[in-house]
Amino acid sequence: MARSRRDFLKITASTASCFVMSVPLASCAASNPALANIGDEHYVHDGFVQVTSQSEIHFILPRDEMGQGVHHGLATLIAEELDIKVDKIKVYFAPVHKTYNNLSYGAQGTWGSSSIRDHYLPLRQAAADTRATLLKAAAQQLAIAPQQLTCRDGFIWHGTKAYPLGDFVATAAKIESVKGAPLVTDSQFKYIGKDSQRNDALAKVTGTARFSIDAKLTKAKRAVVIHAPVINGKVKDFDATRAKQQAGIVDIFAISSGIAVVAEHLWQAKKAAALVVTNWQTSELAAFNSAELPDILASKIATESGIKAHKSGRGRKALATASKRHSATYYAPYLAHATMEPMNCSAEVTASGCQVWVGSQSPEFARNGVAQLLDIDRERVQFHNHFIGGGFGRRVGIDFILEAVEIAKQVEGPVQLVWSREDDIRNDYYRPPSMVKFEAGVDENGQLSCYSVKRSGPNIFPYQLKEAVPAMLPELFPSGVSSWLAGVGGKVVNDWYAESSSVEGLFEDYQVAHKEVRQITYDPGVRNGYWRAVGHSHSGFFKESFIDEIAQLTERDPFDFRLAHLAEERLQNTLKLATQKAGWGQKLPAGHVHGVAVHKSLKTYVAQVVELSVEQGQIRIHKVTCAVDCGIVVNPNIVKAQMEGGILFGITAALYGSIDIVEGRVSQSNFHDYQMLRINQSPDIDVHLVESKVAPTGVGEPGLPPIAAAIGNAVFAATGQRLRQLPFNLSA
Amino acid sequence: MIKFWLNQQPVELDVSPDAPLLWVVREMLQLTGSKFGCGMGLCGACTMHLDGAAVRTCVLPVSAAQGRQVTTIEGLSSGQQLHPVQQAWLDENVPQCGYCQPGQIMSATALLANNTKPNDQEIDAAMQGNICRCGTYPRIKRAIKRAASSQQTVSFYDPEQEQS
């Protein structure tokens, strides 16, 4: 870690005013309770670990917690090196600062199942160095040889005598910090690899966990936004005369995305919103019907060659020499995220700046976007992150945050914007619809010799660029320049360069001599975004269903066929574990069948075996057996929970998920027509972990990609019907 | 004036009788443990007890609470002692994002108050109005069975020590 950063974080005898120094962290320190509210001596190490004179240990969590377990998992890394129980560490969400960047992405964001993968060693090092520095300080202060001292359970120990850590923070802050202290060896782990109760669980079962919708702003006004019924529609004019006469109404005005209705209480705003008469200027999407997409994409695939995304061997040309050939086309529709906590954000704009209270996966994009919207310096935006009531990629987007700030600009004091479920379903960054056409060739030995895929559909990145480019450019770039750059970047992605998230997971897992992957972009213009497991979320379904088709073509067992072709030993071992635990090939209850799938995503390996029956045309999933190899496991219980969650999220998409757009309007609106899996439909899930000593990888997303294919493959085994379109419809 | 008991405390409010109980409790009474999820009684995030029965408060006018006992997640534990269902939720590490869990727990406690040993079908019937997007259902089932079979578990927490 750079020396300079450590130095400005080493602060002694601080008061709040001490933080207002000419150092980069000054502005965010003021907004970070962990760094601002300590009025006495303490020791801060690298912006992640702080020890106070009262011996409190604070951990500044660089990622956000949206269910995936980093609040506990990353704190466990700190606990291991400080040799203290996880629940003794107080966790605070990080302010916006490059210290807290996501190392793989160069921006501050929670995505890509990257938190454990990225932070495993750096956070342990920060805690190990903290421990070594405190030991060095204690040795100096007590005049005892350092090797006679140990640090454990929040104390420095000399024999049986224990000194609280806080006794040494003043000295620790003055001496030179230890760098590169040795880490705890794997065989000595006390907390890593062990189950423990999540450190956010108590707050979450007592109703005290603070989500942004719970921000304690007692004087806040409440706001709703009336959005255009046709996507991208704009307000032409509106009449709020009657609405304004309703009780509690503060103001009603147009903003860039619709009409804002602000009231003393949310129910007043909702009631008045129904009385506003709005004339909308429709958008070019008024002519768009998503039901036409499969035909459009199929014709693109039939007539265009697209952009090369991958080629090895002779590519598609090798089809000509295959002894058997097979082709199939698959399709997946638009999907919404439907997080349980609808989008919401509170904001207050004053002469001195802006405060934002929100749960966001991309605090940096949000903070910088707000600064650009208000045309103020970034450091004048104070960003308060919260627990997130479900992210799944939706809260990478900052649209609702900008909307709240646009409203707050026109309202005295803080205002809280809360979207309805209908707003949430109809104003998402949807998972892109996707069609793939596979062609495969098999040689005379029944080995897959050629594998070709054409994928057609929109790309996500051009939409992300609109929010990321202004945020990632230096502050001095005029907004016109940054949006021009975002537009150019988006065009490059669409026309010249196959975006990885459009084709990821379609071809990597199997060893085939000749492979070719091509991308044909077609984008109707509906906003797309990152949806749990992103490209893998549908690629896993496409690829693993098609591989099953080839196994059937060659008359081989789906497990054996996969094992003979998988490109990595870790894929093979994960598949073996899942099938062995599920009893693959053994007798099942009458009418029950197995289906299998295996997929690597975001560096984690997952295999699943589904046991189901088909009764009166309905799929009944009885059990899912899952194996996962994510390297070293930081918390086995949380890894299992993430597999369970990914599987159930994927089952919802496989059985029900579709966003349909008719003449530019989203047909779905709430949970009656955008169905979620419920407890009575939830199968038993049995998760097994592959033992590993290699570096850990993430688990928030990789549990999802195989499940739809495992279901579809089992349905084929049960009925002979091959399901090539999501959501599954057996009567089709 | 609307009068009712909230977590055994008398409450008197000057509020429009058609205001949904959920929002009155969250905004006027500052108890934010009960959540908003759908506004149509479809997801159960807003579940409270009305005279002991689980109700969807996003669609329940506050006037329906007149003279009655309303219990929220905040009123479930007694002092610092967790309700056995909350304890079972901890023991099974149920919550992920946690947003739906207050509603899940309110539905589960209402179930167990009437049926001390629910079978799988009874658990499904009582809990299928509560959506969990994170997929904690297998653990919710286990936690309900654990709570049903457990004696009163004693555990303490300090409401002042809430997270962030």
Side-chain angles (χ1 to χ4, degrees):
Chain A
M1 299 253 163
R3 183 62 210 265
S4 59
R5 187 163 76 216
R6 174 169 296 165
D7 282 350
F8 71 69
L9 286 163
K10 255 177 80 172
I11 300 154
T12 56
S14 74
T15 63
S17 63
C18 285
F19 283 99
V20 190
M21 300 186 297
S22 56
V23 292
L25 200 60
S27 61
C28 59
S31 67
N32 186 339
L35 300 182
N37 294 343
I38 306 301
D40 62 0
E41 296 175 316
H42 60 275
Y43 173 72
V44 182
H45 192 97
D46 271 348
F48 291 109
V49 186
Q50 177 187 51
V51 183
T52 73
S53 62
Q54 288 83 37
S55 302
E56 280 189 0
I57 297 171
H58 297 175
F59 168 46
I60 315 304
L61 178 68
R63 306 275 72 85
D64 211 73
E65 174 57 55
M66 46 191 169
Q68 81 280 40
V70 293
H71 193 274
H72 187 76
L74 294 184
T76 301
L77 305 178
I78 303 295
E80 187 66 62
E81 299 297 335
L82 287 178
D83 199 351
I84 189 166
K85 284 188 177 149
V86 186
D87 60 10
K88 299 288 182 208
I89 297 172
K90 289 185 86 164
V91 182
Y92 295 90
F93 296 121
V96 181
H97 190 272
K98 63 178 166 50
T99 300
Y100 308 110
N101 268 4
N102 191 317
L103 302 176
S104 309
Y105 299 89
Q108 190 173 339
T110 306
W111 51 56
S113 294
S114 62
S115 302
I116 292 284
R117 193 175 76 217
D118 263 14
H119 292 292
Y120 183 67
L121 288 176
L123 280 181
R124 286 177 60 204
Q125 192 64 58
D129 290 351
T130 301
R131 167 176 157 142
T133 305
L134 288 166
L135 279 167
K136 184 178 164 187
Q140 187 178 318
Q141 204 172 310
L142 299 170
I144 296 173
Q147 53 273 29
Q148 293 184 30
L149 298 174
T150 54
C151 174
R152 191 179 74 247
D153 297 330
F155 294 91
I156 301 287
W157 296 80
H158 179 229
T160 53
K161 194 162 170 43
Y163 303 87
L165 290 182
D167 290 3
F168 309 106
V169 296
T171 306
K174 285 180 203 127
I175 63 174
E176 191 180 348
S177 300
V178 177
K179 276 183 265 179
L183 302 179
V184 175
T185 53
D186 294 13
S187 60
Q188 302 295 310
F189 283 159
K190 265 190 182 172
Y191 303 108
I192 293 174
K194 312 285 192 298
D195 283 337
S196 47
Q197 185 184 294
R198 282 176 65 137
N199 61 357
D200 56 352
L202 183 62
K204 287 176 175 179
V205 304
T206 52
T208 54
R210 195 71 60 76
F211 300 87
S212 66
I213 202 168
D214 308 323
K216 287 280 179 279
L217 300 162
T218 49
K219 299 259 166 57
K221 305 283 190 289
R222 314 285 170 166
V224 301
V225 171
I226 307 166
H227 291 106
V230 171
I231 300 171
N232 295 348
K234 298 282 175 212
V235 176
K236 196 187 283 171
D237 54 60
F238 68 102
D239 178 2
T241 319
R242 269 186 70 207
K244 280 187 174 174
Q245 290 162 359
Q246 301 299 303
I249 296 302
V250 174
D251 203 357
I252 299 175
F253 49 88
I255 58 171
S256 51
S257 56
I259 309 279
V261 181
V262 185
E264 298 297 334
H265 291 294
L266 196 72
W267 67 85
Q268 296 167 329
K270 281 175 186 279
K271 215 170 147 183
L275 301 174
V276 176
V277 180
T278 312
N279 288 312
W280 299 98
Q281 192 177 325
T282 187
S283 78
E284 72 288 350
L285 284 170
F288 174 62
N289 293 294
S290 61
E292 294 163 8
L293 263 181
D295 285 345
I296 296 170
L297 298 182
S299 99
K300 301 288 275 186
I301 287 174
T303 58
E304 294 182 25
S305 59
I307 309 163
K308 183 183 83 181
H310 172 87
K311 190 173 177 185
S312 51
R314 285 185 288 122
R316 187 178 173 278
K317 282 190 185 141
L319 273 178
T321 53
S323 66
K324 267 186 186 172
R325 282 177 286 277
H326 183 63
S327 172
T329 299
Y330 284 79
Y331 180 70
Y334 282 111
L335 284 184
H337 298 78
T339 65
M340 288 311 294
E341 181 189 14
M343 297 305 109
N344 68 87
C345 176
S346 299
E348 181 172 19
V349 179
T350 62
S352 62
C354 177
Q355 293 206 75
V356 178
W357 296 265
V358 70
S360 174
Q361 290 179 248
S362 48
E364 189 176 6
F365 297 170
R367 194 265 319 250
N368 295 359
V370 168
Q372 189 181 46
L373 173 72
L374 295 174
D375 196 18
I376 61 174
D377 294 343
R378 288 173 183 172
E379 65 180 36
R380 287 172 62 200
V381 180
Q382 282 191 40
F383 186 90
H384 311 277
N385 218 345
H386 290 73
F387 279 118
I388 292 180
F392 315 119
R394 173 60 180 88
R395 283 179 162 92
V396 174
I398 63 170
D399 56 337
F400 64 103
I401 301 172
L402 298 179
E403 210 171 60
V405 172
E406 206 181 330
I407 296 167
K409 213 166 68 165
Q410 303 200 41
V411 176
E412 185 77 22
V415 59
Q416 181 181 49
L417 168 69
V418 180
W419 278 17
S420 66
R421 176 57 59 192
E422 291 77 7
D423 290 323
D424 182 70
I425 300 277
R426 292 180 164 167
N427 297 275
D428 204 342
Y429 298 65
Y430 301 100
R431 181 176 85 170
S434 200
M435 178 171 279
V436 296
K437 182 182 179 187
F438 290 104
E439 291 172 288
V442 175
D443 67 18
E444 59 280 5
N445 302 317
Q447 284 293 107
L448 191 52
S449 57
C450 178
Y451 182 92
S452 156
V453 202
K454 265 189 184 178
R455 183 266 176 185
S456 186
N459 305 304
I460 298 169
F461 206 51
Y463 293 94
Q464 189 55 51
L465 277 176
K466 287 179 190 167
E467 296 180 0
V469 168
M472 300 310 290
L473 286 172
E475 206 158 350
L476 44 96
F477 266 80
S479 58
V481 175
S482 59
S483 40
W484 175 78
L485 278 172
V488 170
K491 213 170 148 40
V492 167
V493 167
N494 283 339
D495 298 348
W496 298 100
Y497 172 80
E499 183 188 343
S500 62
S501 74
S502 299
V503 294
E504 63 188 2
L506 282 173
F507 61 99
E508 302 92 323
D509 292 346
Y510 292 93
Q511 186 71 44
V512 188
H514 310 284
K515 286 191 204 175
E516 186 161 346
V517 183
R518 303 192 74 85
Q519 155 70 18
I520 304 163
T521 295
Y522 176 79
D523 187 352
V526 175
R527 186 171 68 179
N528 296 131
Y530 300 108
W531 189 96
R532 196 174 193 172
V534 193
H536 294 284
S537 71
H538 38 70
S539 293
F541 163 61
F542 299 153
K543 179 204 71 179
E544 283 301 295
S545 302
F546 185 66
I547 287 292
D548 229 60
E549 294 199 41
I550 304 300
Q552 201 237 338
L553 178 79
T554 58
E555 295 171 4
R556 288 171 75 179
D557 176 83
F559 163 72
D560 293 335
F561 182 83
R562 283 179 171 80
L563 204 62
H565 289 87
L566 283 169
E568 289 184 66
E569 199 181 351
R570 292 177 74 181
L571 279 164
Q572 294 171 346
N573 290 341
T574 310
L575 177 67
K576 282 184 200 163
L577 182 61
T579 48
Q580 178 214 327
K581 294 290 181 184
W584 180 264
Q586 292 169 21
K587 198 168 155 48
L588 292 170
H592 287 212
V593 289
H594 270 160
V596 66
V598 58
H599 192 84
K600 178 188 180 185
S601 59
L602 303 153
K603 304 188 180 177
T604 293
Y605 305 77
V606 180
Q608 288 159 3
V609 176
V610 163
E611 179 184 336
L612 59 73
S613 56
V614 177
E615 295 162 23
Q616 282 118 37
Q618 296 293 311
I619 299 168
R620 277 200 59 202
I621 304 168
H622 303 285
K623 187 174 179 185
V624 179
T625 306
C626 173
V628 52
D629 176 357
C630 57
I632 291 169
V633 172
V634 174
N635 187 304
N637 192 281
I638 293 180
V639 171
K640 288 177 183 172
Q642 285 311 298
M643 290 302 112
E644 293 159 12
I647 287 165
L648 297 181
F649 204 90
I651 293 178
T652 289
L655 300 186
Y656 310 120
S658 182
I659 286 291
D660 306 313
I661 299 164
V662 178
E663 294 179 346
R665 297 164 188 248
V666 174
S667 301
Q668 288 73 19
S669 61
N670 207 317
F671 294 129
H672 63 288
D673 54 12
Y674 193 65
Q675 281 190 69
M676 300 290 122
L677 192 81
R678 290 174 184 270
I679 197 168
N680 53 316
Q681 300 144 326
S682 172
D684 291 339
I685 301 175
D686 186 20
V687 182
H688 300 271
L689 313 179
V690 175
E691 274 194 45
S692 174
K693 289 187 165 44
V694 308
T697 54
V699 291
E701 298 169 274
L704 186 143
I707 189 65
I711 297 169
N713 295 341
V715 169
F716 178 79
T719 66
Q721 186 180 351
R722 181 59 69 182
L723 300 173
R724 297 196 182 95
Q725 182 160 339
L726 294 178
F728 293 149
N729 182 354
L730 263 57
S731 55
Chain B
M1 278 296 171
I2 307 275
K3 295 183 192 178
F4 57 92
W5 280 266
L6 179 66
N7 299 331
Q8 301 179 327
Q9 299 291 316
V11 170
E12 195 172 328
L13 292 170
D14 181 12
V15 60
S16 167
D18 64 349
L21 180 61
L22 172 70
W23 293 107
V24 172
V25 169
R26 286 180 54 88
E27 290 184 12
M28 297 181 83
L29 302 167
Q30 309 297 327
L31 293 186
T32 54
S34 311
K35 304 303 186 203
F36 166 64
C38 68
M40 289 178 75
L42 297 169
C43 78
C46 63
T47 306
M48 299 178 195
H49 295 173
L50 188 63
D51 290 341
V55 290
R56 311 296 182 216
T57 61
C58 68
V59 288
L60 188 77
V62 64
S63 57
Q66 181 78 29
R68 301 171 75 177
Q69 294 280 352
V70 175
T71 308
T72 68
I73 186 76
E74 291 91 345
L76 205 57
S77 45
S78 128
Q80 293 193 335
Q81 188 179 327
L82 290 179
H83 188 285
V85 169
Q86 290 172 309
Q87 184 60 49
W89 245 247
L90 292 183
D91 294 339
E92 293 292 346
N93 255 328
V94 174
Q96 290 188 29
C97 91
Y99 191 79
C100 75
Q101 298 302 342
Q104 302 278 3
I105 289 170
M106 296 311 283
S107 289
T109 49
L111 164 68
L112 290 171
N114 295 317
N115 181 352
T116 52
K117 295 273 180 236
N119 60 29
D120 288 344
Q121 289 71 36
E122 289 164 335
I123 291 173
D124 280 354
M127 301 301 296
Q128 64 179 276
N130 288 80
I131 295 174
C132 172
R133 190 71 168 122
C134 296
T136 64
Y137 299 133
R139 289 167 189 247
I140 288 175
K141 290 182 195 177
R142 290 207 298 271
I144 290 175
K145 288 179 182 172
R146 178 189 278 264
S149 63
S150 74
Q151 299 298 312
Q152 288 277 317
T153 316
V154 179
S155 179
F156 295 94
Y157 85 103
D158 178 359
E160 299 301 312
Q161 291 274 314
E162 52 182 65
Q163 303 278 344
S164 307

